[in-house]
């Protein structure tokens, strides 16, 4: 059986639940759509693996970018496999309202606590200021297309950042990461995973999930306080540099889309150029901070990649054994680190 490479990592998966598309696709840049380097699209690798049994079952690697950016590049064999499968499994059940409420409560601070009580004063103040800036900028970040679809800046801001003072710092950190201009511009189109879930529902396929929200959410809550404060501080520093114009975010999502459309699995899974949840491992960090960054990186790798792969692999195996006469289509995130680094939440 195929190893479940990378899987859809928590933030990126959970992001889907908030209902909006997400990506770092930049504006004003050529879409990294086509794969000019090689031959015909149909001859490229696809992210489809067949599990040889009768009837066959499939693994399909998805990514969390607006589906319109990749759909035309997904080979026919993958689309056929999806159409012909009886049962479609995702990492999370995106169509179950319980998934959303479980996510919301998992992100909240304990009853009666507020971020202001929890965060160091300097961090709280900078966070608040940054969110005020985002709120102010949001109308100018949105595209005419988004406005044409009736998406309003206030609504979007509240959908992503409403209730931020009640969220756990780690989720606020992820949220801040998803509140950049390029991310905002790509809201409103379902990401590929969500699109497949909607299609499965439309085609009245049986659907299911191999994971529970808690299994994705709890590990993130397991970072300890000093690690979370470090991460939030770094995230804010990065956003502040961005605001001051002294830093440009690398367009990692564009690269991801390009690799995906080119069937370049190795780049998707193994590329480390976008390290973990924002880029904490930064060559200019002083040594003791680099250690903290590395510890966070290791923690996520262990909890969100290795342990999950094992857990999900076991559930897949059980399903295949329990229903030998059904054809399954397992749609899981194809990326490893990259997905982890970009997922960032907006519930
Ligand atoms: C957090 O975890 C790191 C690494 O395990 C450890 O060095 C540090 O002392 C911990 N901090 C707190 C506040 O528990
Ligand atoms: C945030 O990070 C900067 C730079 O690494 C450091 O000087 C500062 O003390 C940190 N602030 C907090 C509150 O941890
Ligand atoms: C790297 O870290 C330093 C100090 O925390 C910060 O000033 C700089 O903006 C960071 N660079 C990136 C690309 O995040």
């Amino acid at each position: 059986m195929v190893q479940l490479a990378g899987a859809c990592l928590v933030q990126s998966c959970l992001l889907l639940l908030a209902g909006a598309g997400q990506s770092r696709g930049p504006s004003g840049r050529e879409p990294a759509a086509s794969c000019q380097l090689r031959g015909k699209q149909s001859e490229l690798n696809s992210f489809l693996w067949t599990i040889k049994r009768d009837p066959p079952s499939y693994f399909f690697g998805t990514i969390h970018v607006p589906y319109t950016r990749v759909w035309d590049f997904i080979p026919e064999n993958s689309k056929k496999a999806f159409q012909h499968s009886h049962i479609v499994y995702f990492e999370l059940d995106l169509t179950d309202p319980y998934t959303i409420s479980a996510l919301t409560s998992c992100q909240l601070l304990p009853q009666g606590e507020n971020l202001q009580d929890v965060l160091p004063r300097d961090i709280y103040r900078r966070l608040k200021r940054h969110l005020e800036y985002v709120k102010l900028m949001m109308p100018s970040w949105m595209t005419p297309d988004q406005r044409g679809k009736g998406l309003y800046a206030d609504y979007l801001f509240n959908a992503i950042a409403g209730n931020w003072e009640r969220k756990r710092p780690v989720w606020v950190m992820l949220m801040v990461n998803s509140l950049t201009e390029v991310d905002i511009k790509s809201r409103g189109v379902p990401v590929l995973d969500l699109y497949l879930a909607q299609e499965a529902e439309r085609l009245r396929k049986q659907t299911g999930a191999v994971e529970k929200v808690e299994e994705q959410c709890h590990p993130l809550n397991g970072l300890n306080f000093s690690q979370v404060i470090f991460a939030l501080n770094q995230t804010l520093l990065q956003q502040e540099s961005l605001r001051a114009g002294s830093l440009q975010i690398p367009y990692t999502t564009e690269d991801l889309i390009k690799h995906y459309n080119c069937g370049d699995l190795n780049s998707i899974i193994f590329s480390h150029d976008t390290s973990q949840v924002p880029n904490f491992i930064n060559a200019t960090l002083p040594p003791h901070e680099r250690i903290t960054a590395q510890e966070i990186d290791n923690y996520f790798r262990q909890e969100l990649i290795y342990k999950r792969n094992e857990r999900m692999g076991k559930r897949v195996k059980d399903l295949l054994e329990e229903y030998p006469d059904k054809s399954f289509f397992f749609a899981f995130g194809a990326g490893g680190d990259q997905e982890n680094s970009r997922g960032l939440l907006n519930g």
Side-chain angles (χ1 to χ4, degrees):
M1 204 164 70
V2 190
Q3 206 229 332
L4 305 184
C8 138
L9 292 171
V10 69
Q11 313 89 314
S12 33
C13 247
L14 298 183
L15 175 91
L16 306 175
L17 306 177
Q22 184 263 12
S23 118
R24 275 177 203 208
S27 56
R29 229 203 187 195
E30 278 298 298
S34 57
C35 185
Q36 293 102 341
L37 300 173
R38 289 185 250 162
K40 288 204 301 260
Q41 194 67 29
S42 58
E43 288 162 12
L44 298 175
N45 291 327
S46 72
F47 291 99
L48 184 76
W49 288 265
T50 304
I51 303 166
K52 290 189 178 135
R53 63 208 269 281
D54 190 18
S57 283
Y58 306 93
F59 275 116
F60 178 68
T62 63
I63 59 172
H64 312 291
V65 302
Y67 80 96
T68 45
R69 297 294 310 280
V70 294
W71 188 252
D72 290 347
F73 297 87
I74 295 175
E76 273 313 307
N77 68 345
S78 306
K79 293 176 183 169
K80 283 215 175 79
F82 177 75
Q83 277 154 14
H84 293 158
S85 297
H86 304 121
I87 308 181
V88 184
Y89 260 75
F90 298 93
E91 293 183 32
L92 288 176
D93 188 345
L94 305 171
T95 53
D96 181 354
Y98 171 80
T99 313
I100 294 157
S101 62
L103 168 65
T104 307
S105 47
C106 187
Q107 288 177 17
L108 290 182
L109 285 166
Q111 189 79 37
E113 277 183 30
N114 262 301
L115 266 186
Q116 191 162 14
D117 316 322
V118 174
L119 293 179
R121 205 154 54 183
D122 164 67
I123 301 263
Y124 177 80
R125 191 179 45 77
R126 284 161 55 211
L127 172 64
K128 196 166 173 178
R129 188 171 352 142
H130 182 67
L131 292 175
E132 280 161 7
Y133 162 82
V134 168
K135 190 168 187 176
L136 192 71
M137 295 305 286
M138 204 106 133
S140 68
W141 288 350
M142 294 183 68
T143 64
D145 207 37
Q146 288 174 316
R147 284 191 288 270
K149 285 184 194 147
L151 206 54
Y152 294 100
D154 274 357
Y155 168 82
L156 195 53
F157 181 84
N158 283 328
I160 302 171
N163 207 22
W164 65 271
E165 303 212 45
R166 287 278 300 122
K167 284 189 181 168
R168 292 173 185 270
V170 70
W171 295 98
V172 165
M173 182 270 293
L174 298 173
M175 181 192 88
V176 166
N177 260 288
S178 71
L179 279 169
T180 59
E181 180 170 1
V182 289
D183 275 337
I184 295 301
K185 282 191 185 334
S186 65
R187 298 281 171 147
V189 177
V191 290
L192 180 59
D193 319 47
L194 183 57
Y195 178 71
L196 287 176
Q198 290 169 346
E199 279 294 286
E201 198 158 75
R202 189 177 68 81
L203 299 169
R204 302 191 188 285
K205 291 182 185 298
Q206 196 181 325
T207 60
V210 293
E211 283 219 301
K212 295 194 172 68
V213 171
E214 291 80 356
E215 289 168 325
Q216 292 206 9
C217 189
H218 287 162
L220 271 170
N221 291 344
L223 274 186
N224 76 26
F225 187 70
S226 45
Q227 291 169 324
V228 171
I229 296 303
F230 170 84
L232 184 54
N233 188 21
Q234 291 300 314
T235 299
L236 286 169
L237 286 171
Q238 209 172 42
Q239 295 300 320
E240 286 155 358
S241 313
L242 212 57
R243 240 157 67 195
S246 59
L247 175 74
Q248 275 214 306
I249 335 187
Y251 288 136
T252 53
T253 296
E254 286 306 297
D255 296 338
L256 186 64
I257 289 173
K258 182 152 183 277
H259 292 314
Y260 189 80
N261 286 344
C262 291
D264 190 354
L265 183 63
N266 281 352
S267 297
I268 297 236
I269 297 176
F270 299 111
S271 168
H272 285 249
D273 52 359
T274 61
S275 85
Q276 289 296 323
V277 182
N279 270 329
F280 296 140
I281 302 181
N282 158 345
T284 65
L285 284 177
H288 71 279
E289 298 199 333
R290 273 178 100 162
I291 292 172
T292 305
Q294 189 64 57
E295 278 167 4
I296 295 175
D297 191 83
N298 293 344
Y299 177 83
F300 281 141
R301 202 173 288 274
Q302 190 63 36
E303 292 293 325
L304 302 180
I305 301 185
Y306 303 135
K307 285 191 186 168
R308 289 187 64 214
N309 280 352
E310 232 169 77
R311 200 164 61 219
M312 289 167 57
K314 182 175 180 316
R315 289 185 189 160
V316 165
K317 185 167 164 285
D318 293 347
L319 281 166
L320 292 172
E321 282 168 6
E322 192 176 345
Y323 304 99
D325 58 338
K326 295 286 186 199
S327 179
F328 285 86
F329 187 89
F330 295 100
F332 297 159
D337 285 357
Q338 302 241 15
E339 296 284 70
N340 196 19
S341 68
R342 357 179 355 267
L344 320 184
L345 182 101
N346 61 62

